[in-house]
Amino acid sequence: MPRAFIIILCMALVTMIPRMIPAFIVERVRFPEWVNHWLHVIPYAALGALIFPGVLSVVPEKPWIGLVGGIVAIILSIFRIHIVAVVLGASLAVFFLI
Amino acid sequence: MNTLEVEESGIAQTKKIQLKQGIMSGFPIMLGYFPIAITYGVLAAQSGLTLLELTGMSIFVYAGAAQFMGTNMLEIGAGAMEIIIATFVLNFRHFVMSLSFMNRARSFPLRWKFPISLLLTDESFSVASVKTEQTRQPNGSYFYLGMFMTAYLSWIIGSVFGGILGDIMPDSISQSLGIALYAMFIALLVPSVKIKYRYGLIAGIAMVFNYLFSFYLDEGWSIVVSTLLASFIGIFVIRGMTYA
């Protein structure tokens, strides 16, 4: 087997293990209330970290383009526009700014 | 038709509806994944991976940032151990996300939780985290299966396209779609913030942390540490609040 494939399989292994362990943890463990609170707010913390500052790197040499695209997405989502339309609207904004 | 048949067709219908709605919820992820997967396929082919290898990486690793990093490191001749450790570090954030979602989906049998957890990415986790009512519905697991498989298949198909056809997307379009996943994350966050501003505060804290840490840490660690710190602070932020 070529070297690259062995590396890919090891990459798969170290990616899969952290993903699947929680499935087994929640089978066995009941969490105290504060842990449930913590797990409940993780999505919001993760979304924050996933959005910023990454959004500035959409066009790496022009961070303001990502910023404007992000603001367009915020405005569109405030008006409860469908998520696909938000994605397309922000992409269109970036398209015209490039 | 006897009662049992009616019941069975009723259940079958519900599974189908859940699956269909899940596929529809996966659509924005697909939109974001497709151009990135094509780019990945193109770069991986250029860096010398065979079509089988680059597709295999999408099937088995299924983690965008890590795949870009991995192909790059393979190209510059990095050591195997280095690549594997870097992948682990970059993808460790999925442990935290998976723990959060698996706790939500606690009631699903393990034979469902296990495959769903393997298909957990930043994007599928984010969409699943704002669509939690299905964790309490009958056949709700089919909803997440539909969503996660849509994302997974679009990632694989996009990689193959990129690997075979090369750069088929005009630069201006693939660059514009570079905002797609960020726009999706924003569209997922904003409605929750409108309902509870405290969620916005938690996200804002994570943004500030991630901005500060991005100067000192690798992207993977920076996201893990900011998510952990902001969510721990978040325990106090939501104190006294009632939520579903």
Side-chain angles (χ1 to χ4, degrees):
Chain A
M1 212 193 289
R3 177 175 177 267
F5 224 94
I6 296 170
I7 294 179
I8 290 168
L9 289 181
C10 292
M11 286 173 72
L13 209 64
V14 298
T15 304
M16 285 158 116
I17 291 169
R19 277 177 182 166
M20 68 180 213
I21 286 176
F24 295 93
I25 293 179
V26 300
E27 279 289 299
R28 274 142 216 252
V29 189
R30 286 236 150 250
F31 296 128
E33 207 42 28
W34 72 268
V35 175
N36 284 323
H37 287 311
W38 171 59
L39 294 173
H40 174 79
V41 297
I42 279 178
Y44 308 105
L47 280 172
L50 289 169
I51 293 167
F52 195 83
V55 70
L56 302 179
S57 63
V58 172
V59 183
E61 59 277 15
K62 290 179 192 157
W64 62 272
I65 291 185
L67 190 67
V68 174
I71 292 169
V72 170
I74 293 174
I75 294 169
L76 293 176
S77 349
I78 287 175
F79 289 108
R80 290 216 166 271
I81 289 169
H82 192 273
I83 186 163
V84 173
V86 175
V87 169
L88 291 176
S91 305
L92 207 63
V94 171
F95 181 78
F96 286 117
L97 289 172
I98 289 175
Chain B
M1 202 189 276
N2 63 37
T3 338
L4 188 68
E5 270 177 82
V6 174
E7 260 176 29
E8 272 183 347
S9 71
I11 291 167
Q13 184 72 356
T14 315
K15 280 179 185 168
K16 215 167 136 188
I17 290 172
Q18 292 282 25
L19 194 68
K20 215 166 126 188
Q21 286 180 342
I23 292 169
M24 274 157 61
S25 301
F27 194 69
I29 308 179
M30 184 170 112
L31 210 59
Y33 273 3
F34 217 64
I36 302 176
I38 290 177
T39 310
Y40 157 75
V42 173
L43 292 179
Q46 282 170 359
S47 75
L49 289 188
T50 64
L51 188 63
L52 193 69
E53 287 166 346
L54 73 87
T55 309
M57 204 195 279
S58 284
I59 292 172
F60 296 116
V61 181
Y62 184 41
Q67 289 182 225
F68 278 102
M69 186 200 63
T71 46
N72 185 38
M73 287 179 86
L74 279 170
E75 192 182 11
I76 61 173
M81 216 51 205
E82 242 180 296
I83 300 175
I84 294 159
I85 291 171
T87 304
F88 175 75
V89 167
L90 189 58
N91 289 338
F92 188 73
R93 63 184 187 281
H94 294 149
F95 174 79
V96 183
M97 296 179 188
S98 180
L99 192 61
S100 172
F101 184 63
M102 286 298 127
N103 194 41
R104 277 279 193 189
R106 209 172 246 283
S107 60
F108 291 169
L110 187 61
R111 65 170 197 282
W112 277 102
K113 282 205 284 275
F114 182 63
I116 288 175
S117 73
L118 286 178
L119 295 180
L120 192 122
T121 61
D122 297 344
E123 292 75 20
S124 61
F125 165 72
S126 301
V127 177
S129 294
V130 300
K131 296 192 187 290
T132 53
E133 64 275 15
Q134 281 82 0
T135 56
R136 298 182 295 272
Q137 287 171 359
N139 299 314
S141 44
Y142 283 83
F143 173 82
Y144 299 104
L145 181 76
M147 184 205 298
F148 284 32
M149 284 307 287
T150 304
Y152 185 48
L153 291 178
S154 54
W155 181 254
I156 296 169
I157 294 168
S159 315
V160 174
F161 269 32
I164 297 176
L165 302 173
D167 231 337
I168 45 168
M169 276 218 192
D171 264 2
S172 56
I173 291 185
S174 60
Q175 235 180 353
S176 318
L177 285 172
I179 191 114
L181 291 178
Y182 294 109
M184 185 186 83
F185 291 140
I186 291 169
L188 293 172
L189 181 60
V190 168
S192 318
V193 175
K194 276 176 79 178
I195 297 166
K196 299 263 196 273
Y197 78 94
R198 294 192 227 193
Y199 292 147
L201 182 63
I202 295 167
I205 294 169
M207 288 183 188
V208 173
F209 277 133
N210 195 32
Y211 178 71
L212 295 175
F213 290 134
S214 67
F215 294 103
Y216 307 101
L217 299 173
D218 287 338
E219 197 195 353
W221 277 130
S222 181
I223 291 178
V224 171
V225 175
S226 328
T227 302
L228 287 177
L229 284 175
S231 53
F232 276 121
I233 296 172
I235 299 173
F236 301 96
V237 174
I238 64 161
R239 184 170 269 184
M241 193 178 99
T242 50
Y243 59 82

